[in-house]
Amino acid sequence: MTSNYRLQKLSILVFAVFCITNTYGQKSTNTWKAQISLGVNSPSQSGFVEGFEAKPVNFPTVNLGVQRMFTRQYGAKLDFGFNRFSSSDTSVEFKTNYTRLNVQFIYDPTELIGFLPQRIGIVAHAGPGYTFVKPLGDFGDNNNSFFNAMGGLEFHYGITEYMSAFVDTSYILGFGKDFDPVTEGFGSFNGNLLTVSFGLTFSLSGCEYCNQ
């Protein structure tokens, strides 16, 4: 419980820093939630230069986010993602960190889908962001950064009125430039990323819009 409480305080602080313009009189019906998840990732091979290919499935993927539901169906969230992938058996050896920050729109159609069991919920999310790529080891100078667009779908199972477990599948479209010269791409990445993660969503301020 102590670790959850500290995570709640940190999530509220991060959201306040990035969304300070949203400080007008908030009503008690506003629902704030925090998310944490852990999973795997699969980078597109087209994002690597020749001779540098990653494993098709890599661990870890870590996602942290804070969201606000404006109504039962619509909301927004700020989320941070960290991913690491490493070289395949036939590639030059390397490891790369892929970090992103996104602002996303949330749509929850759960109440409109009448056949779902009571504890099951569906949430779609999409929005723009920015990606930071950091190769490790010998190729540490080949840092790369670019804009991205992310979209995904979450399936929730309500544990309590204030918490749900979920699985999220997301695709991150990268808008990175071609590597020129090609040596700048050694150990680096400029492509798309697929992630699958499992986590928890928990309420930070009441539960009027908790649909899971």
Side-chain angles (χ1 to χ4, degrees):
M1 180 175 295
T2 300
S3 60
N4 282 346
Y5 177 71
R6 290 176 179 174
L7 179 59
Q8 291 175 9
K9 292 178 65 177
L10 178 61
S11 299
I12 294 174
L13 177 61
V14 171
F15 195 93
V17 170
F18 284 93
C19 301
I20 194 169
T21 57
N22 189 29
T23 57
Y24 57 87
Q26 297 178 9
K27 301 178 181 179
S28 61
T29 56
N30 294 337
T31 294
W32 295 81
K33 300 178 183 179
Q35 288 187 316
I36 181 171
S37 66
L38 178 68
V40 296
N41 65 79
S42 179
S44 61
Q45 297 303 326
S46 61
F48 300 101
V49 299
E50 186 176 356
F52 290 80
E53 292 82 27
K55 296 177 181 178
V57 178
N58 300 268
F59 178 87
T61 286
V62 181
N63 297 314
L64 300 171
V66 178
Q67 67 184 50
R68 179 189 173 189
M69 299 303 294
F70 302 106
T71 70
R72 291 182 181 274
Q73 282 78 41
Y74 300 103
K77 72 174 178 177
L78 175 72
D79 68 316
F80 164 87
F82 171 81
N83 307 269
R84 174 172 290 177
F85 37 81
S86 56
S87 53
S88 66
D89 294 337
T90 59
S91 168
V92 176
E93 186 175 355
F94 71 95
K95 289 185 178 181
T96 304
N97 290 345
Y98 177 109
T99 306
R100 62 163 187 85
L101 187 66
N102 286 76
V103 178
Q104 299 191 69
F105 171 79
I106 298 171
Y107 176 59
D108 184 345
T110 301
E111 291 188 350
L112 304 179
I113 305 176
F115 61 83
L116 290 177
Q118 184 176 2
R119 289 181 176 268
I120 302 298
I122 298 176
V123 177
H125 56 88
Y130 204 72
T131 293
F132 305 88
V133 176
K134 172 63 176 176
L136 305 178
D138 295 339
F139 309 106
D141 291 335
N142 289 340
N143 297 333
N144 191 22
S145 59
F146 47 86
F147 288 100
N148 72 61
M150 179 177 185
L153 196 63
E154 301 171 0
F155 294 90
H156 289 252
Y157 177 80
I159 300 174
T160 70
E161 187 181 13
Y162 301 96
M163 180 181 294
S164 66
F166 71 93
V167 55
D168 174 83
T169 301
S170 295
Y171 193 75
I172 307 166
L173 183 65
F175 299 104
K177 297 180 180 180
D178 293 337
F179 295 114
D180 186 19
V182 69
T183 54
E184 292 184 354
F186 289 179
S188 193
F189 180 72
N190 65 357
N192 308 327
L193 189 70
L194 174 68
T195 66
V196 179
S197 61
F198 301 84
L200 294 173
T201 297
F202 48 93
S203 175
L204 298 176
S205 61
C207 210
E208 178 158 337
Y209 297 143
C210 291
N211 301 319
Q212 288 78 39

